[in-house]
Amino acid sequence: MEIETKVLSRQIQEALYHNHETLGTAESCTGGRIAEAIIAVPGASNYFKGGVIAYTNEVKEEMLDVPSQLLEEQTAVCEEVAKQMVAGACKLLHCTYAISATGIAGPTGATKDIPVGTIWIAYGSQDDIRAYKLSEDFGRDMNLTVATNKALHLFLDYLREKQPKDSASK
């Protein structure tokens, strides 16, 4: 695991632990890499509740409450599905926050409208979910690494915005 990933995970740990908040993940294309990055830091069990690897639409629907109509109309690779995965993970895992990723890492799976490298990342709490779209293809392994690190960066920035300035220094 890259040093940058571990540093980000440590910073997330410090922010969540000091504020008695919890985190979960809902991952499709990243297949658990975000969760793996989070638990790489000793003490993750103090704030990380768990994750769902929702690689199929069936799992997205049944475990994360992603509406089948949304999946049919917009596909699994869209902003709304990524956001619904966050909401579903917060509910299922009883956590304060969640991070999700859904996309096409490659090398196959692209459609006319959704090229390889398209990955939606969502993060936040049940009441405040944000999303970000990656759209460059660097090859499967790099796409997954970029998505994992971007998800951690985005979530950390979100935490810093949401939490009181002095809370991380307690």
Side-chain angles (χ1 to χ4, degrees):
M1 183 171 300
E2 295 179 1
I3 190 74
E4 176 188 10
T5 306
K6 287 187 177 183
V7 169
L8 291 167
S9 295
R10 171 69 71 191
Q11 292 171 328
I12 289 170
Q13 176 191 45
E14 291 169 0
L16 292 173
Y17 181 77
H18 291 299
N19 288 289
H20 307 289
E21 294 173 321
T22 56
L23 176 63
T25 58
E27 301 181 64
S28 186
C29 64
T30 50
R33 287 182 182 216
I34 297 168
E36 178 186 23
I38 293 187
I39 65 151
V41 177
S45 61
N46 291 317
Y47 61 92
F48 185 66
K49 293 281 206 106
V52 174
I53 299 174
Y55 217 64
T56 65
N57 286 351
E58 178 184 10
V59 175
K60 289 176 183 76
E61 290 174 36
E62 293 181 10
M63 295 191 73
L64 299 172
D65 294 328
V66 177
S68 60
Q69 184 176 356
L70 176 62
L71 291 163
E72 289 170 20
E73 291 175 0
Q74 296 188 35
T75 80
V77 185
C78 72
E79 179 178 5
E80 288 309 313
V81 168
K83 286 181 170 183
Q84 184 60 49
M85 289 170 67
V86 166
C90 285
K91 181 180 175 186
L92 178 70
L93 301 170
H94 306 284
C95 52
T96 314
Y97 304 108
I99 302 170
S100 76
T102 183
I104 301 173
T108 61
T111 67
K112 178 176 67 109
D113 298 323
I114 307 170
V116 169
T118 303
I119 299 174
W120 279 97
I121 298 164
Y123 51 94
S125 65
Q126 192 97 21
D127 301 325
D128 182 15
I129 302 170
R130 301 178 189 175
Y132 184 88
K133 181 182 179 183
L134 295 171
S135 57
E136 289 190 55
D137 181 16
F138 302 104
R140 182 179 182 81
D141 288 341
M142 188 56 89
N143 289 344
L144 295 173
T145 298
V146 167
T148 299
N149 283 347
K150 188 65 174 179
L152 296 174
H153 269 290
L154 290 165
F155 182 64
L156 184 58
D157 288 346
Y158 172 87
L159 285 178
R160 288 176 173 157
E161 175 190 321
K162 289 296 193 185
Q163 296 177 339
K165 298 285 186 238
D166 63 345
S167 64
S169 62
K170 287 182 185 174

